[in-house]
Amino acid sequence: MIELFNDREIDAMRPAGVFVGEVLTALRAAAGVGVNLLELDALAAKMIAERGATSCYVDYHPSFGAMPFGKVLCTSVNDAVLHGLPYDYVLANGDLLSVDFACSVDGWVADSATSVAVGTARPEDLALIRTTEVALEAGIAAAVVGNKMGDISAAIGDVARAAGLSVNLQFGGHGVGRTMHGDPHVSNDGRPGRGLPLKAGLVIAIEPWFMHGTDEIYTDPDGWTLRSADGSRGAHSEHTIAITPDGPLVLTAR
């Protein structure tokens, strides 16, 4: 079911968005050569506890997951491109790390993701990260009353194609509110002028994620982590936004 939220409810979502942004800012600062993925997860868990928030990931068990996720972050490194389950891995110079984080504050959810090059960055990785960021900006700009969902998707896909990238359509953005994943689905490619009419009060996560050399993925033996089929690296950018009469409101700005 697609929900539309009133101004009071969207205001109530703001603390969750601010907190998610704060956690991702802290994680970007903490991620560096020699840092273990489990340390990053522990940092986020500590911030959740101190804030009195609730993780959306620990007990999360959708049909595509092998078991409840069990951690508070998705940490995807290099060819791990989405849903990376944190494990005992120490970040190395030149790694490409994507971090996805969602939590609930006072019963309202926010969801956001960011990618960062660890240590000495590869120029092609920086370009890939920037492409996801530009695509996110384009998708947000299209999230206005009177447009269609296809306008958001097409804006994202146009940026990917301009960079010479293909787009995986298995996973994309989604509705956000009292739960982390709801309707509608927000594809990372589509046709302008098609699909759901965008109305004030719709709250969605827009999340472009691209890979260097393919649009095909497979599931790691851990039952969660998605990896590129050809071993190429991926990057991921995401914000939770509310569509308002005055334009898109980024709830997870940082």
Side-chain angles (χ1 to χ4, degrees), residues 44-62:
K46 179 174 181 289
M47 294 182 72
I48 289 171
E50 291 173 346
R51 181 61 175 80
T54 302
S55 170
C56 292
Y57 288 173
V58 170
D59 296 323
Y60 186 53
H61 191 189

Side-chain angles (χ1 to χ4, degrees), residues 17-22 25 112 238-240 249-254:
V18 170
F19 177 65
V20 166
E22 289 174 349
T25 297
S112 189
E238 177 184 16
H239 275 310
T240 295
L249 172 65
V250 180
L251 295 171
T252 49
R254 52 186 181 273

Side-chain angles (χ1 to χ4, degrees), residues 99-136:
V99 181
D100 195 351
F101 176 66
C103 75
S104 174
V105 175
D106 299 325
W108 294 103
V109 172
D111 188 4
S112 189
T114 187
S115 293
V116 61
V118 178
T120 304
R122 298 182 183 185
E124 61 270 26
D125 288 347
L126 294 179
L128 185 65
I129 292 170
R130 184 57 187 154
T131 299
T132 66
E133 293 170 344
V134 171
L136 177 57

Side-chain angles (χ1 to χ4, degrees), residues 203-227:
V203 178
I204 54 176
I206 300 175
E207 50 178 315
W209 63 281
F210 306 138
M211 297 172 280
H212 276 304
T214 183
D215 60 5
E216 298 295 327
I217 54 176
Y218 70 93
T219 303
D220 189 87
D222 68 12
W224 271 100
T225 303
L226 300 178
R227 295 186 181 274

Side-chain angles (χ1 to χ4, degrees), residues 2-4 142-152 184 193-202 204 243:
I2 296 173
E3 292 187 82
L4 298 179
V144 296
V145 174
N147 271 359
K148 301 286 186 68
M149 188 62 72
D151 294 307
I152 297 176
R194 304 294 288 270
L196 178 76
L198 302 180
K199 297 180 180 181
L202 182 65
I204 54 176
I243 297 175

Side-chain angles (χ1 to χ4, degrees), residues 153-231:
S153 299
I156 294 169
D158 286 348
V159 172
R161 280 186 294 275
L165 303 173
S166 55
V167 181
N168 178 285
L169 299 181
Q170 293 169 260
F171 296 93
H174 48 87
V176 181
R178 290 287 187 179
T179 60
M180 176 173 61
H181 286 152
D183 294 327
H185 175 69
V186 186
S187 176
N188 284 327
D189 198 10
R191 296 175 63 182
R194 304 294 288 270
L196 178 76
L198 302 180
K199 297 180 180 181
L202 182 65
V203 178
I204 54 176
I206 300 175
E207 50 178 315
W209 63 281
F210 306 138
M211 297 172 280
H212 276 304
T214 183
D215 60 5
E216 298 295 327
I217 54 176
Y218 70 93
T219 303
D220 189 87
D222 68 12
W224 271 100
T225 303
L226 300 178
R227 295 186 181 274
S228 64
D230 64 356

